[in-house]
């Protein structure tokens, strides 16, 4: 049929006619669900529950159509669950297939935020700056006493990952991709941690200065000798006072202290906001690293659950209408650049869907 036709495009009289024609010609029919529907719920920004429900709704309409026209039987859907590198999967084969030259070195590493379903993509050819360290783990410095920084590739992290213990690998979901992503984001987190600590240290310095001011203020309030007061303040304050501060100090020492403490509070609040802002950004990066999961682990679970729900819907319909044949959901491997096309991927999808249906 022309592109754009879906099960609801066929009316009930037409469905009856299809069923009768099949019966007259003594043939059995199978049904293909609307194409280009990813039941995993994958979209441009990542995985979406709304998108997954829409895809499942399309499959259910195909199941209804199969019940009306074929009295059951297989309902085929495209296994196009999510994108992944051809070189990564098919590169293990004898002929080392790839989608384009150098795909193995440049392909996208796809991870997913398991809380939001958002895609976290990283290219394999990205280089990550890291400070070189000696065997004891101490940073190496050059002849000018500056830290030596090297640019590290995905390959170097992959080799490093293989040397980790099973417990360490588990921390990264046994995924080289997540390990690489963590190292990539950690350099940014280190900068934010340093910024937050710098601002927080300034806040502590100002708090200490404020405490000192308040102590001197108490001495000033209890002293009746203004000259002694001025001397006391200038001795305690090593930094230079502005002429305006000096004038205020000589005129009204208590107002001077009030003004100084107020300025400290303003500076402290600004620095505190900076410290908290950088700390929150650093925390958010660590949270994203912790929530990142390999796309296969996340996507197969979503696909299997949706396929199982479609199969359960078909099973219930089969029993309600006492259909001649059982309704069977049949994932079909389709296009090589998406998960589900390789036989091992299709096998895993079927097995996980069966578990989910049970």
């Amino acid at each position: 049929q022309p592109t754009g036709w879906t099960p609801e495009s066929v009316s009930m009289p037409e469905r009856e006619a299809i069923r009768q024609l099949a019966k007259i010609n003594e043939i059995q029919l199978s049904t293909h669900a609307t194409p280009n529907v990813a039941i995993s719920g994958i979209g441009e920004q990542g995985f979406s529950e709304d998108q997954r429900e829409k895809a499942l709704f399309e499959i259910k309409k195909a199941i209804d159509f199969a019940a009306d026209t074929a009295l059951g039987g297989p309902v085929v859907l495209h296994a196009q669950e999510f994108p992944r590198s051809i070189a990564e999967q098919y590169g293990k084969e004898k002929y080392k297939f790839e989608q384009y030259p150098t795909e193995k070195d440049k392909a996208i590493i796809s991870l997913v935020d398991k809380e939001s379903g958002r895609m976290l993509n990283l290219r394999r050819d990205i280089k990550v700056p890291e400070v070189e360290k000696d065997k004891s783990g101490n940073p190496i410095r050059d002849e000018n006493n500056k830290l030596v920084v090297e640019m590290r590739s995905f390959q170097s992290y992959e080799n490093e990952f293989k040397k980790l213990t099973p417990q360490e690998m588990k921390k990264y979901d046994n995924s080289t991709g997540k390990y690489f992503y963590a190292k990539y984001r950690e350099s940014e987190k280190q900068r934010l941690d340093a910024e937050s600590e710098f601002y927080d240290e300034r806040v502590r310095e100002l708090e200490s200065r404020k405490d000192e001011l308040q102590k001197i203020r108490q001495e000033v309030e209890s002293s009746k000798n203004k000259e002694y007061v001025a001397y006391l303040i200038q001795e305690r304050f090593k930094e230079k006072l502005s002429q305006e501060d000096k004038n205020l100090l000589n005129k009204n020492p208590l107002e001077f202290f009030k003004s100084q403490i107020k300025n400290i509070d303003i500076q402290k609040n600004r620095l505190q906001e900076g410290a908290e802002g950088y700390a929150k950004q650093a925390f958010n990066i660590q949270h994203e690293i912790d929530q990142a999961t390999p796309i296969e682990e996340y996507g197969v679970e979503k696909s299997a659950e949706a396929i199982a729900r479609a199969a359960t819907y078909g099973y219930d319909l089969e029993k309600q209408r006492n259909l001649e044949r059982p309704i069977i959901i049949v994932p079909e491997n389709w296009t090589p650049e998406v998960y589900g096309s390789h036989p091992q991927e299709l096998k895993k999808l079927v097995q996980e869907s069966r578990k989910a249906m049970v």
Side-chain angles (χ1 to χ4, degrees):
Q1 294 296 339
T3 302
W5 276 56
T6 56
E8 73 270 26
S9 306
V10 185
S11 67
M12 289 306 295
E14 289 172 317
R15 295 183 185 205
E16 175 65 17
I18 291 170
R19 188 178 67 80
Q20 293 295 344
L21 283 168
K23 184 177 180 180
I24 292 167
N25 287 280
E26 298 181 343
I27 61 171
Q28 286 188 334
L29 302 174
S30 66
T31 306
H32 198 303
T34 304
N36 303 322
V37 173
I39 202 166
S40 65
I42 189 73
E44 290 184 5
Q45 302 301 319
F47 292 86
S48 161
E49 290 302 310
D50 178 62
Q51 197 73 20
R52 192 162 68 123
E53 285 303 311
K54 289 177 181 177
L56 183 58
F57 184 62
E58 287 294 329
I59 305 303
K60 286 180 177 180
K61 288 190 290 185
I63 292 171
D64 291 334
F65 182 85
D68 292 336
T69 59
L71 301 178
V75 177
V76 180
L77 58 89
H78 281 161
Q80 52 183 61
E81 305 317 298
F82 44 84
R84 58 100 181 89
S85 164
I86 288 180
E88 184 176 1
Q89 180 60 57
Y90 290 84
K92 303 169 187 174
E93 310 294 335
K94 178 181 178 181
Y95 295 103
K96 309 295 181 188
F97 295 108
E98 56 184 7
Q99 190 170 4
Y100 54 85
T102 70
E103 183 190 18
K104 184 180 178 182
D105 300 320
K106 296 185 177 182
I108 298 294
I109 297 170
S110 293
L111 301 167
V112 181
D113 184 320
K114 57 188 175 187
E115 279 189 338
S116 66
R118 181 170 57 90
M119 295 282 287
L120 306 170
N121 292 328
L122 199 64
R123 287 174 58 103
R124 290 171 188 261
D125 56 354
I126 285 176
K127 299 288 175 51
V128 179
E130 278 205 18
V131 174
E132 288 192 47
K133 296 182 180 179
D134 58 25
K135 293 181 180 179
S136 302
N138 299 314
I140 298 174
R141 296 179 180 273
D142 61 16
E143 61 275 9
N144 298 317
N145 204 33
K146 290 185 178 181
L147 295 173
V148 177
V149 178
E150 63 174 339
M151 298 301 289
R152 297 189 58 190
S153 65
F154 172 79
Q155 186 65 50
S156 69
Y157 285 111
E158 188 173 38
N159 295 335
E160 185 176 278
F161 182 75
K162 291 175 182 177
K163 297 176 184 178
L164 298 180
T165 65
Q167 291 79 10
E168 289 171 327
M169 287 184 176
K170 190 175 180 182
K171 178 183 175 183
Y172 300 98
D173 297 333
N174 300 307
S175 167
T176 308
K178 179 169 180 175
Y179 183 70
F180 182 52
Y181 176 76
K183 294 298 181 182
Y184 174 73
R185 297 302 304 279
E186 279 171 6
S187 60
E188 185 182 357
K189 180 179 178 295
Q190 287 172 355
R191 179 184 66 81
L192 293 168
D193 281 333
E195 293 280 7
S196 179
E197 181 59 32
F198 172 78
Y199 279 92
D200 197 44
E201 188 176 342
R202 292 285 293 116
V203 168
R204 292 194 293 270
E205 289 174 1
L206 287 172
E207 286 174 344
S208 177
R209 185 178 172 188
K210 181 179 177 179
D211 289 341
E212 183 185 3
L213 275 171
Q214 287 174 332
K215 288 178 183 177
I216 300 173
R217 179 181 179 179
Q218 290 174 356
E219 291 186 52
V220 169
E221 287 176 334
S222 60
S223 175
K224 297 179 181 179
N225 189 331
K226 289 187 178 181
E227 290 182 0
Y228 170 72
V229 167
Y231 169 78
L232 178 67
I233 293 170
Q234 291 183 29
E235 279 296 308
R236 294 288 181 92
F237 286 93
K238 301 300 181 183
E239 70 272 15
K240 294 179 181 179
L241 296 175
S242 68
Q243 189 59 49
E244 185 179 350
D245 287 337
K246 289 179 181 178
N247 293 338
L248 182 59
L249 173 60
N250 293 325
K251 183 179 179 181
N252 190 333
L254 293 179
E255 278 299 316
F256 166 80
F257 278 105
K258 186 177 179 181
S259 173
Q260 290 291 308
I261 291 172
K262 181 180 179 181
N263 288 337
I264 286 175
D265 284 335
I266 291 173
Q267 291 179 58
K268 191 182 80 168
N269 289 338
R270 289 174 180 170
L271 290 167
Q272 186 68 45
E273 288 175 1
E276 291 175 1
Y278 285 119
K280 286 189 283 189
Q281 289 181 58
F283 177 85
N284 189 53
I285 288 176
Q286 185 60 55
H287 184 69
E288 287 181 350
I289 292 172
D290 294 338
Q291 294 303 311
T293 189
I295 192 170
E296 179 177 350
E297 184 177 319
Y298 185 91
V300 169
E301 181 183 347
K302 292 296 182 182
S303 298
E305 184 189 2
I307 292 172
R309 287 174 60 195
T312 304
Y313 179 82
Y315 177 81
D316 291 339
L317 191 62
E318 173 195 332
K319 299 305 177 187
Q320 290 168 11
R321 296 177 57 173
N322 194 26
L323 299 177
E324 293 180 2
R325 297 188 292 160
I327 289 177
I328 307 167
I329 306 301
V330 185
E332 174 191 10
N333 53 338
W334 180 50
T335 181
E337 63 269 14
V338 293
Y339 186 93
S341 61
H342 191 280
Q344 292 303 322
E345 295 171 341
L346 188 63
K347 179 180 177 180
K348 183 175 181 179
L349 200 59
V350 170
Q351 290 175 332
E352 294 301 317
S353 298
R354 286 175 175 172
K355 290 178 188 176
M357 186 180 180
V358 171

Coordinates of all heavy atoms in Angstrom, one line a residue, residues 226 230-231 233-234 243-253 256:
K226 N 40.0 57.9 72.6 CA 39.8 57.8 71.1 C 41.2 57.6 70.4 O 41.3 56.9 69.4 CB 39.2 59.1 70.6 CG 37.7 59.2 70.9 CD 37.0 60.3 70.2 CE 35.6 60.4 70.6 NZ 34.9 61.6 69.9
A230 N 42.1 54.6 67.9 CA 42.6 54.7 66.5 C 43.9 53.9 66.4 O 44.2 53.2 65.4 CB 42.9 56.1 66.2
Y231 N 44.8 54.0 67.4 CA 46.1 53.2 67.4 C 45.8 51.7 67.4 O 46.4 51.0 66.6 CB 46.9 53.6 68.6 CG 48.1 52.7 68.8 CD1 49.2 52.9 68.1 CD2 48.1 51.7 69.8 CE1 50.3 52.1 68.2 CE2 49.2 50.9 70.0 CZ 50.3 51.1 69.2 OH 51.4 50.2 69.4
I233 N 43.2 50.1 66.3 CA 42.7 49.6 65.0 C 43.7 49.5 64.0 O 43.9 48.5 63.2 CB 41.5 50.5 64.6 CG1 40.3 50.4 65.5 CG2 41.1 50.2 63.2 CD1 39.3 51.4 65.3
Q234 N 44.6 50.6 63.9 CA 45.6 50.6 62.9 C 46.7 49.5 63.1 O 47.3 49.0 62.2 CB 46.2 52.0 62.8 CG 45.3 53.0 62.3 CD 45.9 54.4 62.1 OE1 47.1 54.5 61.9 NE2 45.1 55.5 62.2
Q243 N 41.4 56.5 52.5 CA 41.3 57.8 53.2 C 39.9 58.0 53.7 O 39.7 58.5 54.8 CB 41.6 58.9 52.2 CG 41.7 60.3 52.8 CD 42.8 60.3 53.9 OE1 44.0 59.9 53.7 NE2 42.5 60.8 55.1
E244 N 38.9 57.4 53.0 CA 37.5 57.5 53.5 C 37.3 56.7 54.7 O 36.7 57.2 55.7 CB 36.6 57.0 52.4 CG 35.1 57.2 52.7 CD 34.2 56.6 51.6 OE1 34.7 56.3 50.5 OE2 33.0 56.5 51.8
D245 N 38.0 55.5 54.8 CA 37.9 54.7 56.0 C 38.6 55.4 57.2 O 38.1 55.4 58.3 CB 38.5 53.3 55.8 CG 37.7 52.5 54.9 OD1 36.4 52.7 54.8 OD2 38.2 51.5 54.3
K246 N 39.7 56.0 56.9 CA 40.5 56.7 58.0 C 39.7 57.9 58.5 O 39.6 58.1 59.8 CB 41.8 57.2 57.4 CG 42.8 56.1 57.1 CD 44.1 56.7 56.5 CE 45.1 55.6 56.2 NZ 46.3 56.1 55.6
N247 N 39.0 58.6 57.6 CA 38.2 59.8 58.1 C 37.1 59.3 59.0 O 36.8 59.9 60.0 CB 37.7 60.5 56.9 CG 38.8 61.2 56.1 OD1 39.8 61.5 56.6 ND2 38.5 61.5 54.8
L248 N 36.4 58.2 58.5 CA 35.3 57.7 59.3 C 35.8 57.1 60.6 O 35.1 57.3 61.7 CB 34.6 56.6 58.5 CG 33.3 55.9 59.2 CD1 32.3 57.0 59.4 CD2 32.8 54.8 58.3
L249 N 37.0 56.5 60.6 CA 37.5 55.9 61.9 C 37.8 57.1 62.9 O 37.5 56.9 64.1 CB 38.8 55.2 61.5 CG 39.7 54.7 62.7 CD1 38.9 53.7 63.5 CD2 40.9 54.0 62.2
N250 N 38.4 58.2 62.4 CA 38.7 59.3 63.3 C 37.4 60.0 63.8 O 37.3 60.4 64.9 CB 39.6 60.3 62.6 CG 41.0 59.7 62.3 OD1 41.5 58.9 63.1 ND2 41.6 60.1 61.2
K251 N 36.4 60.0 62.9 CA 35.2 60.7 63.3 C 34.3 59.9 64.2 O 33.7 60.4 65.2 CB 34.4 61.1 62.0 CG 33.2 61.9 62.2 CD 32.6 62.2 60.9 CE 31.3 63.0 61.1 NZ 30.6 63.4 59.8
N252 N 34.1 58.6 63.8 CA 33.1 57.8 64.5 C 33.6 56.3 64.4 O 33.2 55.6 63.5 CB 31.7 57.9 64.0 CG 30.7 57.2 64.9 OD1 31.0 56.3 65.6 ND2 29.5 57.8 64.9
P253 N 34.4 55.9 65.3 CA 35.0 54.5 65.3 C 33.9 53.4 65.2 O 34.0 52.4 64.5 CB 35.8 54.4 66.6 CG 36.1 55.8 66.9 CD 35.0 56.6 66.5
F256 N 32.6 53.1 61.8 CA 33.6 52.5 61.0 C 33.5 51.0 61.0 O 33.5 50.3 60.0 CB 35.0 53.0 61.5 CG 36.1 52.1 60.9 CD1 36.6 52.4 59.6 CD2 36.7 51.1 61.6 CE1 37.6 51.6 59.1 CE2 37.7 50.3 61.1 CZ 38.2 50.6 59.8

